[in-house]
């Protein structure tokens, strides 16, 4: 992306002397200046307060053309969910609902930022609580192990082997439940990683032209953010030990027992973990059926429109 911007800036020529490279951009005049012309421009009384920025940081305005009328695309037909020109507004899309392309892009940016921020915060909060629950579970396991050890210490040497077997058993079973919690935390970290990647994609999209391609990319980003799932807070497993009075007879039967409850989540159905990897242009997926949506053709303009099932 940076190399594209550098190549674009290098192709600009100073619009004043029309000879040197236009490396500086005047925000008030909306013109490219070379270093010498910029200095002269700032010395003039009428323009000495003008602000400049590097031409490398100038994002070009969208100049996409309508394929039907060869006019600049400047509106969005909300009825058909496509970018259109002014001739489309009074022609094939007449009496449809419209908004300005710039406004639609701004709304999508704000919505994506807010929704992604909310989900990342929710995922962070959920992961912190799960880690806290995992720590408490480990502490409970250790408490039970200690109880078993203390109870076993009251029994004669003949039961030492049984004590070791029982401790090994509870650790094995608790390890299975711990692994489940660890897996959930790992999945949540992956959600955060996907959210971070989407955030980087969103940042890169903001540097691109404000045209219909950006609109489609932002719409695709909206779908990907909606598919970003957050693991619900689990009901953490419990562990306890029920001691029995011990005698010299039938040690195994008189020993206490332990029980570990299973990990439970509120998750139902299929959870899609792999989101589409964003490309450099963040290509928009236009398949007819995708994640519970389908397209139908508008009777007024003949354009395809996406709707929920």
């Amino acid at each position: 992306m940076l190399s594209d911007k550098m190549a674009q800036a290098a192709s600009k020529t100073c619009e004043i002397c029309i000879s040197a490279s236009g490396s500086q951009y005047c925000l008030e005049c909306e013109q490219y200046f070379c270093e010498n012309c910029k200095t002269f421009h700032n010395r003039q009384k009428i323009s000495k307060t003008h602000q400049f920025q590097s031409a490398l940081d100038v994002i070009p305005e969208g100049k996409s053309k309508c394929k039907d009328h060869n006019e600049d695309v400047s509106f969005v037909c909300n009825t058909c969910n496509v970018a259109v020109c002014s001739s489309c507004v009074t022609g094939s899309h007449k009496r449809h609902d419209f908004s300005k392309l710039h406004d639609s892009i701004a709304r999508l940016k704000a919505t994506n930022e807010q929704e992604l921020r909310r989900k990342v915060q929710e995922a962070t909060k959920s992961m912190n609580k799960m880690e806290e629950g995992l720590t408490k579970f480990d502490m409970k396991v250790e408490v039970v192990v200690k109880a078993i050890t203390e109870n076993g210490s009251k029994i004669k040497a003949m039961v030492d082997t049984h004590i070791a077997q029982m401790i090994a058993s509870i650790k094995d079973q608790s390890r299975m439940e711990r692994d489940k919690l660890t897996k959930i935390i790992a999945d949540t970290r992956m959600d955060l990683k996907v959210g971070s990647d989407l955030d980087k994609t969103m940042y890169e999209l903001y540097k691109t032209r404000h045209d219909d391609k950006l609109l489609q990319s932002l719409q695709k980003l909206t779908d990907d953010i909606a598919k970003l799932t957050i693991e619900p807070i689990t009901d953490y497993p419990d562990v306890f030990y029920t001691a029995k009075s011990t005698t010299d007879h039938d040690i195994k039967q008189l020993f206490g027992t332990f029980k570990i409850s299973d990990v439970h989540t509120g998750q139902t159905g299929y959870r899609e973990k792999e989101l589409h990897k964003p490309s450099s242009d963040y290509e928009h997926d236009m398949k007819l059926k995708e994640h519970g949506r389908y397209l139908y053709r508008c009777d007024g303009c003949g354009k395809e429109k996406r709707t929920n099932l």
Side-chain angles (χ1 to χ4, degrees):
M1 182 64 69
L2 181 59
S3 61
D4 292 341
K5 291 175 64 178
M6 293 178 64
Q8 179 189 39
S11 65
K12 294 294 183 181
T13 303
C14 176
E15 298 181 52
I16 307 303
C17 65
I18 320 178
S19 59
S21 174
S23 61
Q24 299 295 318
Y25 185 76
C26 179
L27 299 178
E28 283 77 9
C29 300
E30 297 183 351
Q31 288 180 307
Y32 289 91
F33 287 72
C34 64
E35 292 292 343
N36 291 335
C37 291
K38 171 190 173 183
T39 301
F40 180 75
H41 193 62
N42 282 335
R43 287 177 179 174
Q44 297 187 56
K45 184 176 181 180
I46 192 173
S47 58
K48 65 179 181 179
T49 61
H50 286 195
Q51 298 295 319
F52 281 83
Q53 73 176 37
S54 172
L56 295 176
D57 298 326
V58 177
I59 299 178
E61 291 296 328
K63 296 296 182 181
S64 295
K65 297 291 185 179
C66 173
K67 63 181 181 179
D68 295 326
H69 305 101
N70 198 31
E71 296 181 12
D72 288 348
V73 171
S74 55
F75 297 94
V76 175
C77 176
N78 298 321
T79 304
C80 303
N81 196 27
V82 293
V84 297
C85 67
S86 56
S87 294
C88 292
V89 172
T90 58
S92 59
H93 293 262
K94 189 175 182 180
R95 290 189 295 275
H96 287 190
D97 179 48
F98 296 94
S99 61
K100 292 183 178 180
L101 177 63
H102 181 274
D103 293 341
S104 295
I105 291 175
R107 282 195 299 271
L108 282 171
K109 285 182 177 179
T111 300
N112 290 342
E113 289 176 358
Q114 181 179 4
E115 183 65 11
L116 182 57
R117 189 180 303 111
R118 182 187 67 81
K119 289 198 173 185
V120 169
Q121 290 174 350
E122 182 181 346
T124 302
K125 181 179 178 182
S126 178
M127 186 182 69
N128 290 338
K129 287 191 175 183
M130 285 186 286
E131 289 178 336
E132 180 182 351
L134 180 59
T135 300
K136 291 180 178 179
F137 176 68
D138 288 341
M139 293 175 62
K140 290 180 179 181
V141 170
E142 291 303 319
V143 169
V144 171
V145 170
K146 183 179 179 181
I148 294 172
T149 304
E150 290 176 350
N151 190 56
S153 65
K154 300 176 184 179
I155 305 174
K156 295 181 179 183
M158 65 175 61
V159 300
D160 287 346
T161 301
H162 182 70
I163 292 174
Q165 291 175 348
M166 196 170 188
I167 291 176
S169 178
I170 187 174
K171 286 189 173 181
D172 286 343
Q173 293 186 44
S174 64
R175 189 179 298 111
M176 294 176 60
E177 298 307 316
R178 191 181 192 281
D179 289 344
K180 293 179 184 178
L181 286 174
T182 303
K183 175 64 168 56
I184 294 174
I185 291 175
D187 288 346
T188 303
R189 284 199 179 98
M190 185 164 61
D191 287 339
L192 289 174
K193 175 61 171 58
V194 173
S196 177
D197 291 342
L198 290 175
D199 184 56
K200 293 178 182 178
T201 298
M202 182 168 58
Y203 176 78
E204 292 299 325
L205 285 177
Y206 290 174
K207 299 179 182 179
T208 60
R209 305 188 328 167
H210 290 184
D211 55 9
D212 60 334
K213 192 172 185 179
L214 174 57
L215 176 67
Q216 292 177 353
S217 296
L218 288 172
Q219 290 169 339
K220 179 62 171 59
L221 180 60
T222 301
D223 291 341
D224 285 346
I225 292 175
K227 289 182 287 186
L228 180 59
T229 58
I230 306 303
E231 192 74 32
I233 298 175
T234 63
D235 292 329
Y236 301 106
D238 201 357
V239 56
F240 56 90
Y241 173 70
T242 304
K244 285 185 178 182
S245 299
T246 56
T247 67
D248 293 337
H249 176 68
D250 203 356
I251 298 300
K252 187 173 182 179
Q253 292 184 0
L254 294 177
F255 233 81
T257 60
F258 64 86
K259 182 178 180 181
I260 301 177
S261 58
D262 294 337
V263 174
H264 295 286
T265 72
Q267 177 184 337
T268 58
Y270 174 73
R271 182 169 184 261
E272 180 175 309
K273 300 304 297 181
E274 295 294 334
L275 297 179
H276 294 294
K277 183 178 180 181
S279 63
S280 57
D281 292 329
Y282 209 70
E283 298 176 354
H284 185 59
D285 192 352
M286 296 299 290
K287 295 179 181 178
L288 290 179
K289 184 173 290 185
E290 178 187 19
H291 303 296
R293 293 189 171 190
Y294 71 101
L295 298 174
Y296 74 93
R297 194 171 297 278
C298 175
D299 294 334
C301 66
K303 299 292 185 180
E304 291 179 336
K305 180 180 178 184
R306 188 181 297 275
T307 185
N308 292 328
L309 283 173

